[in-house]
């Protein structure tokens, strides 16, 4: 399952957002370290295509694809040196696929800012510095272990690792996150083993007031967007307060509430889509009277590997994939009509799966 870690300084709206995400009432207290252990919430990925399949097939069961958010304890300046909860949060954040950094872009006298005033770029830099220091420690420890040997060895692989670590160290010493440096495919393979935090893709979640969420930005979010553009990161502007109100409503009321505000998608939906996009993820479907189900796969995956997501036997004994695209199914409204129109395809082992493919895998074990 896909995992995203939510980070942010204390009192930026992180726990309010997390509560909204999971509808769990985790302590959203107005002081640092209200959430000490990482809390995990699973959300459903909204997909109108799955709803359409459900309408046509009327299955016994519908299973959407899901997504795990980990709320990582409020981080303060000096955390990498043991301040606040120290390194405790760092081990949790190493396990996630993507980072959602909540940045405070609202003014509110009742909610104390841990740094005294609202300044989103300073806040981002405090967190990024902590993550950089933490990665630097891992890289320098490894360099200390291998540097003597690397100078004498004829092993090209060891030399390659040493040079790669030096390149990373140099960037981190300049306070540059590793996601901002160019890495080759081979370099990425080696560096992956170190679970470095600043390599992980990031989305900045600008938390604004309810009024600014309707407008869509403010002077603070403009600064965040400018900063994010330097590292090709996305920015989602949303109000954690609105999201927590939405979390209490059923789907119908949610729709009406958003319409009243003049907003098309909830901030959480935007966040989910943005994270999917960031990680290069897409969806294929299996559909029938028993179950309609959405499955997540990485863009560029071949049919047998996607079959393996369902069951390892499907991949092992893969013969063919019977495929129709969702758009064709939407147009013709039935499998039979898609077949009659000549739009049903039989694909082999080299077929690259496409977003929205509806599949039936033929296999023999």
């Amino acid at each position: 399952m896909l995992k995203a870690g939510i980070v942010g300084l204390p009192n930026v709206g992180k726990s309010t957002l997390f509560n909204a995400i999971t509808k769990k009432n985790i302590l959203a207290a107005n002081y640092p370290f209200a959430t000490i252990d990482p809390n995990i919430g699973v959300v459903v990925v909204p997909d109108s295509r799955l709803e359409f399949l459900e309408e046509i097939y009327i299955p016994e069961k519908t299973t959407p694809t899901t997504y795990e958010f980990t709320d990582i304890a409020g981080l303060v300046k000096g955390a990498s040196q043991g301040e606040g909860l120290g390194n405790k949060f760092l081990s949790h954040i190493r396990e996630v696929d993507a980072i959602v950094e909540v940045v405070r872009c609202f003014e509110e006298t009742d909610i104390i800012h841990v740094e005294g005033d609202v300044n989103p770029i300073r806040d981002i830099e405090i967190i990024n510095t902590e993550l950089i220091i933490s990665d630097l420690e891992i890289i320098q420890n490894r360099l200390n272990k291998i540097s003597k040997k690397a100078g004498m060895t004829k092993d090209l692989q060891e030399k390659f690792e040493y040079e790669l670590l030096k390149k990373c160290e140099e960037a981190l010493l300049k306070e540059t996150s590793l996601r901002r440096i160019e890495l080759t495919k081979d370099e990425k393979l080696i560096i992956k083993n170190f679970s470095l935090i600043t390599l992980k893709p990031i989305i900045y979640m600008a938390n604004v007031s309810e009024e600014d969420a309707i407008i869509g930005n403010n002077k603070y979010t403009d600064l965040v967007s400018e900063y994010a553009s330097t590292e090709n990161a996305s920015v989602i502007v949303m109000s954690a307060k609105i999201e927590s109100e939405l979390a209490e409503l059923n789907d119908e009321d949610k729709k009406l509430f958003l319409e009243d505000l003049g907003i098309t998608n909830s901030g959480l939906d935007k966040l989910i889509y943005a994270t999917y996009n960031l990680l290069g993820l897409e969806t294929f479907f299996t559909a029938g009277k028993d179950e309609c189900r959405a499955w997540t796969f990485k863009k560029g995956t071949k049919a047998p590997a996607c079959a393996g997501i369902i069951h390892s036997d499907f991949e092992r004994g893969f013969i063919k994939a019977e495929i129709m695209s969702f758009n064709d199914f939407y147009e013709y409204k039935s499998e039979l009509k898609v077949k009659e129109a000549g739009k049903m395809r039989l694909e082999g082992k080299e077929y690259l799966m496409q977003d929205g493919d509806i599949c039936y895998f033929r296999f023999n074990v």
Side-chain angles (χ1 to χ4, degrees):
M1 190 191 288
L2 173 70
K3 290 181 184 177
I6 304 177
V7 300
L9 291 175
N11 300 349
V12 294
K14 205 164 60 73
S15 292
T16 309
L17 172 71
F18 186 75
N19 293 351
I21 280 170
T22 56
K23 298 186 187 171
K24 285 180 186 169
N25 193 23
I26 280 150
L27 179 65
N30 181 20
Y31 56 88
F33 318 128
T35 41
I36 290 179
D37 290 306
N39 294 295
I40 291 173
V42 175
V43 292
V44 162
V45 177
D47 198 322
S48 56
R49 297 171 300 181
L50 186 63
E51 288 166 23
F52 182 77
L53 291 174
E54 188 178 20
E55 277 171 34
I56 301 291
Y57 284 95
I58 316 170
E60 286 174 26
K61 184 170 146 196
T62 300
T63 311
T65 182
T66 53
Y67 188 132
E68 195 173 285
F69 278 104
T70 305
D71 182 23
I72 289 156
L75 173 49
V76 290
K77 193 186 277 186
S80 54
Q81 256 65 58
E83 287 294 319
L85 296 170
N87 286 323
K88 189 167 181 183
F89 82 93
L90 294 168
S91 60
H92 299 307
I93 199 172
R94 290 195 191 284
E95 294 159 16
V96 302
D97 301 299
I99 297 168
V100 175
E101 188 169 322
V102 182
V103 188
R104 178 165 166 173
C105 294
F106 66 90
E107 288 173 12
E108 169 70 77
T109 47
D110 291 349
I111 301 175
I112 332 118
H113 190 293
V114 74
E115 289 292 320
D117 63 343
V118 178
N119 181 338
I121 302 308
R122 175 206 57 212
D123 294 359
I124 287 173
E125 286 175 346
I126 286 174
I127 286 195
N128 289 357
T129 300
E130 294 309 318
L131 303 184
I132 282 168
I133 293 168
S134 158
D135 278 356
L136 190 57
E137 197 181 323
I138 285 179
I139 292 215
Q140 289 179 333
N141 285 345
R142 179 67 182 156
L143 279 170
N144 290 340
K145 273 185 190 163
I146 65 168
S147 55
K148 273 186 187 162
K149 199 177 168 194
M152 300 181 290
T153 185
K154 287 190 167 59
D155 186 319
L156 293 176
Q157 193 64 15
E158 285 176 1
K159 274 192 183 324
F160 185 71
E161 183 191 343
Y162 178 76
E163 279 158 20
L164 168 61
L165 292 173
K166 286 303 282 182
K167 174 177 167 177
C168 292
E169 181 189 38
E170 200 178 309
L172 293 168
L173 286 169
K174 289 179 183 159
E175 297 203 350
T176 301
S177 294
L178 297 178
R179 74 181 77 85
R180 293 169 82 160
I181 68 171
E182 291 279 321
L183 293 171
T184 66
K185 202 175 174 183
D186 290 341
E187 286 174 331
K188 281 178 186 168
L189 270 177
I190 288 177
I191 208 73
K192 196 180 171 188
N193 302 324
F194 293 94
S195 296
L196 298 167
I197 304 173
T198 67
L199 255 185
K200 294 180 189 294
I202 193 164
I203 288 177
Y204 293 103
M205 198 291 263
N207 187 16
V208 297
S209 67
E210 290 163 269
E211 295 76 25
D212 289 342
I214 295 161
I215 299 162
N217 66 333
N218 63 26
K219 62 181 181 184
Y220 299 124
T221 64
D222 291 345
L223 293 170
V224 175
S225 296
E226 204 177 299
Y227 182 93
S229 67
T230 63
E231 51 181 17
N232 292 326
S234 321
V235 178
I236 301 290
V237 176
M238 67 199 251
S239 159
K241 198 161 184 287
I242 289 179
E243 295 305 313
S244 63
E245 287 166 22
L246 281 170
E248 301 303 318
L249 305 174
N250 63 35
D251 289 349
E252 202 47 50
D253 291 344
K254 199 181 280 184
K255 222 173 181 175
L256 291 169
F257 184 64
L258 287 171
E259 274 170 23
D260 286 348
L261 292 175
I263 300 173
T264 42
N265 269 331
S266 79
L268 176 56
D269 288 356
K270 284 186 211 161
L271 185 60
I272 291 170
Y273 298 141
T275 316
Y276 254 58
N277 202 20
L278 185 69
L279 294 169
L281 299 174
E282 293 184 328
T283 306
F284 74 87
F285 302 95
T286 49
K289 288 285 172 210
D290 293 343
E291 183 183 32
C292 287
R293 183 163 181 167
W295 305 86
T296 302
F297 70 99
K298 196 121 176 113
K299 197 176 182 160
T301 304
K302 290 180 180 174
C306 279
I309 294 169
I310 300 174
H311 198 289
S312 55
D313 284 353
F314 286 20
E315 183 171 9
R316 214 158 32 115
F318 181 90
I319 302 168
K320 291 274 182 205
E322 209 172 279
I323 288 175
M324 54 183 166
S325 81
F326 175 80
N327 291 345
D328 289 336
F329 185 73
Y330 185 76
E331 187 183 336
Y332 294 103
K333 312 272 184 298
S334 87
E335 264 180 51
L336 186 63
K337 285 181 180 157
V338 171
K339 271 183 186 162
E340 284 168 358
K343 301 279 188 179
M344 182 79 81
R345 315 186 306 275
L346 267 185
E347 300 289 0
K349 290 182 176 177
E350 292 306 305
Y351 175 69
L352 290 176
M353 293 283 282
Q354 301 299 309
D355 186 48
D357 277 350
I358 302 166
C359 313
Y360 174 74
F361 295 107
R362 295 183 186 176
F363 71 103
N364 182 20
V365 178

